[in-house]
Amino acid sequence: MASDPHIRRPRPAPTSPRRVVGGIKPIRLEPDARLWPAQRWLRIVDHISDAAALRDGLEYADLGQARSVALMPGVITASVQGPPYRPFTAVLRVPILDAGAWDTVTDAVLEDSALSGALLAGDLPKRIEDVFTPVGVPLVPVSPDEITPECSCGVPNGRWCVHTVCALRLAADLLHTNPLAAIRLRGRDPDEFLDRLRRRRAVQGSVVGVSPAYQIRVDLPESCIPPRLENAIENFWRGDTREIDSLDTTPDPPVPSHALLRRLGPSPMEGARFPLVGLLASCYDRIAEDATTDPDAGPPAD
């Protein structure tokens, strides 16, 4: 029996994803060029056991199939275009820390002046993970088991699909461009966290004195270490000064460098002939070098 040419046959469902104009693609960088939160996040990708979802999800990311990616407290969401007309919503859920855990973290950060200074300057040192050890949760997840994937494509919650893998890959770029977003992912707004840290440091400074920006390094020879005061009352003003010239009182460079310039950010002056921030940084470096150079040592050797 001949088929009726006037009857419209159903079209087969497309199998290839619809191309997205202006979709989000991964940032191309050498592995060592990525900041440590992004490097750690990318290691999670290597531990996903579903090989098909991993392969296709990374291909989706390379093709720019994601229309949007957002990071919020405890969740990363992405709109990923597949074969259907409507994009799928991929969700990655991460446990957040409660208020008590954040208080523990804040107290530990305040005990480390170099760490708190780096955070207030906009840096996220890798050793911040040390202060998260007591609360039992790393700042940046290290395993797929710490992430719960969900997707509107119909894959059961907890299982990885191409859309959640795509979201996972692109989330690494969010942590590279804004590493402090790792704090938001664990449930605390970075600006609020830093503001609280700043106020707590100010209160401590008003009570016990301002903490130095860096510790002065003094390497004392054993022969110069004095006895206990009660054992040296008679000879208190008769100290041995023969090795005083051997003491190294050169201060270590501040950590982080150029903290004030980092806080100020780019210069508001537009159209300047010279990069003002870079010029000031060079001036500060030269002043610091001159301040720590022995004036009797003469010019440095070529």
Side-chain angles (χ1 to χ4, degrees):
M1 180 178 179
S3 59
D4 189 344
H6 299 287
I7 297 178
R8 180 176 297 177
R9 297 182 178 181
R11 295 181 179 179
T15 57
S16 299
R18 296 176 182 270
R19 292 302 176 91
V20 176
V21 178
I24 302 173
K25 293 186 177 182
I27 299 175
R28 300 301 179 188
L29 290 172
E30 293 296 329
D32 294 341
R34 297 184 186 278
L35 299 181
W36 75 266
Q39 291 183 16
R40 174 174 292 183
W41 187 270
L42 283 177
R43 295 193 192 105
I44 300 176
V45 177
D46 298 333
H47 291 86
I48 294 178
S49 57
D50 191 328
L54 177 61
R55 180 191 64 247
D56 295 342
L58 294 179
E59 183 178 359
Y60 266 45
D62 291 336
L63 292 174
Q65 293 299 121
R67 296 181 178 273
S68 65
V69 183
L71 186 150
M72 296 172 288
V75 64
I76 294 171
T77 59
S79 177
V80 183
Q81 182 68 60
Y85 180 76
R86 292 182 178 275
F88 295 110
T89 300
V91 179
L92 306 177
R93 300 194 182 277
V94 175
I96 62 175
L97 302 180
D98 58 23
W102 276 111
D103 288 341
T104 300
V105 169
T106 304
D107 292 340
V109 170
L110 286 171
E111 293 178 359
D112 189 331
S113 59
L115 177 58
S116 58
L119 287 169
L120 292 175
D123 288 342
L124 188 69
K126 187 174 182 179
R127 63 192 184 90
I128 192 177
E129 289 286 21
D130 296 339
V131 304
F132 281 83
T133 301
V135 300
V137 176
L139 176 60
V140 181
V142 298
S143 168
D145 297 336
E146 302 176 51
I147 303 173
T148 302
E150 302 174 4
C151 189
S152 62
C153 69
V155 172
N157 291 346
R159 288 184 54 186
W160 293 93
C161 66
V162 295
H163 315 104
T164 50
V165 170
C166 177
L168 182 73
R169 170 60 188 86
L170 296 176
D173 293 341
L174 298 181
L175 293 174
H176 173 74
T177 56
N178 182 17
L180 291 177
I183 297 176
R184 176 177 286 109
L185 187 60
R186 287 301 189 185
R188 181 58 58 92
D189 181 85
D191 292 334
E192 293 180 3
F193 175 71
L194 296 179
D195 182 64
R196 184 178 184 185
L197 197 63
R198 189 177 298 108
R199 287 187 280 109
R200 290 275 301 274
R201 275 170 56 105
V203 171
Q204 287 185 353
S206 64
V207 175
V208 299
V210 178
S211 300
Y214 53 85
Q215 299 294 328
I216 302 298
R217 186 185 76 244
V218 180
D219 299 325
L220 289 172
E222 292 186 5
S223 59
C224 289
I225 299 177
R228 296 178 61 87
L229 180 61
E230 58 269 22
N231 299 329
I233 295 298
E234 296 181 357
N235 300 317
F236 183 77
W237 298 108
R238 301 176 184 177
D240 186 356
T241 61
R242 290 175 299 176
E243 299 187 28
I244 193 65
D245 293 335
S246 65
L247 299 182
D248 183 6
T249 59
T250 305
D252 290 328
V255 179
S257 63
H258 308 132
L260 179 59
L261 293 179
R262 292 171 182 263
R263 289 294 309 277
L264 293 176
S267 170
M269 300 180 183
E270 299 181 358
R273 294 182 57 188
F274 302 100
L276 180 59
V277 175
L279 182 60
L280 288 175
S282 300
C283 292
Y284 292 169
D285 290 340
R286 180 58 185 272
I287 293 172
E289 181 181 357
D290 291 345
T292 57
T293 300
D294 187 355
D296 298 328
D302 293 334

